[in-house]
Amino acid sequence: MDAFEYRDKTLFCEKVKIEDIISEVGTPAYIYSKNAILARYHELKAAFGDVDSLICFSVKSNSNLSLCKILAEAGSGFDVVSGGELFRTIKAGGDPSKIVFAGVGKTDGEIRDALANDIFMFNVESLAELEHIDRLARDVGKVAKVALRINPDIDAKTHAKTTTGKKENKFGIDFTEAEGLIKQSSRYPGIELCGLHVHLGSPIYTVDPYVNALRKIIKLIEKCRDAGLDIEYMNIGGGYCISYTGEEVIRPRDYASKILPLVKEMQCNLLMEPGRFITGNSGILITRVTYTKETVHGKKFIICDAAMNDLLRPALYDAFHRIWPVTTGIPMPKVEEPEKAAVKKGTELVDIVGPVCESSDVFASKRALPKVGEGDLLAIFSAGAYGFSMSSQYNSRPRPCEVLVDRDQYRIIRERETYDDLIKGEIIPE
Ligand code: LLP
């Protein structure tokens, strides 16, 4: 979280005081550090530098045009999962020849768009999809590059709702069926099967699931080669973890040390699809305390102006995000234990909630927080990935603005929505 640091008892993003940004843009507001994003991109690129690799930034984690543009300029490719993400990526200056298109339900329209833009590769998740891509490619006289997404039936030991590589998940082609499909692929002249893909879930806090999946896939690649088929690319997906609690977690070089030998053994070029690792700890959400409320049962609620519609992760996955006042004399603990709030002098146990009419609209419960009152600002950390991109207008709440900081400069990269934005496109029948 080094892009966000307390100096003289107040929070900075790079060289800019958060309070200065907020006095101009208001709350709630997402704030991103450009240089943190770039540092993480380069850290990952360097860690896997031993092989020919392409990082395809997972647009779903944060699809803001300015962020995609920064990454495009740094040389990144993109992992998209919808026609909308493809549209955004190209608008942001993403190079189509570095775009991979994943997802279990690509429509014909989306496939046609991707073919028209000459994207790099489709990650294919079923025989039915393969047949559609083949037909649509032939219709326009093209041959689509394809990687088969394998479901290796590996438990990534992450949240049940973000696990994707187990046999009961909807993703990928069952490991046992993949070989037959690969061997039949020459029957489809509209496709060139040149890669395999795997994404196990996210976030993944150990390297073992990747290693176990790749060990299984190596055998498949050998069988393909025996059958005279060349697999040029191995796409290992995303899922690289970040620290949400301040604790040390494994870093790209730790993943690389165990993954690279296997990729080398495969003699494949490496593709990867990180999202959270690049944007997660490069962004925060700032909210203002509207009220505090103490119940007769002894509970204290901090009611703030951001809500589950702005940051859904706590409500959806019980995800832990650190929360601390923007200005306070009490230092934020270096590490927090999600299950065990440490109440120290000056802090109290509170529930930090939003105004949405749902009991799940809770950012944190039984959290030790320095005493705050109406009008105080709180920072919700690790909000750069799956924050704004999963936001909605639920309860007819205009979505927050987004701000990008670059050293001592900042600018708004998405305006706060207005009430007019809420009713855009709606038609009242006469
Ligand atoms: N590739 C594929 C095929 C994916 O499905 C995903 C994420 C990624 C790459 C990027 O994963 P990352 O490196 O960001 O962990 N909304 C959830 C996470 C769901 C991610 C879905 N797929 C969250 O807030 O944690």
Side-chain angles (χ1 to χ4, degrees), residues 21-22 25-31 284-290 304-311 354-355 363 377-378 380 388 397-403 414-417:
I21 300 176
I22 296 302
V25 308
T27 52
Y30 276 98
I31 299 178
I284 59 175
L285 174 62
I286 302 294
T287 179
R288 198 181 284 282
V289 176
T290 311
C304 52
D305 66 359
M308 64 189 285
N309 71 296
D310 304 307
L311 177 67
F363 288 124
L377 294 174
L378 298 177
I380 307 182
F388 192 94
R397 290 169 44 84
R399 285 181 295 178
C401 63
E402 295 177 283
V403 175
R414 191 186 210 272
E415 286 175 359
R416 180 179 306 289
E417 287 181 345

Side-chain angles (χ1 to χ4, degrees), residues 58 60-61 79 102 149 162 197 199 202 237-240 273-276 313 317 386 390:
S58 194
K60 66 176 85 62
S61 73
D79 152 45
R149 176 169 180 176
T162 61
H197 172 255
H199 172 76
S202 68
Y240 316 102
E273 304 170 335
R276 183 189 325 265
R313 302 189 75 257
Y317 314 119
Y386 307 106
M390 288 175 80

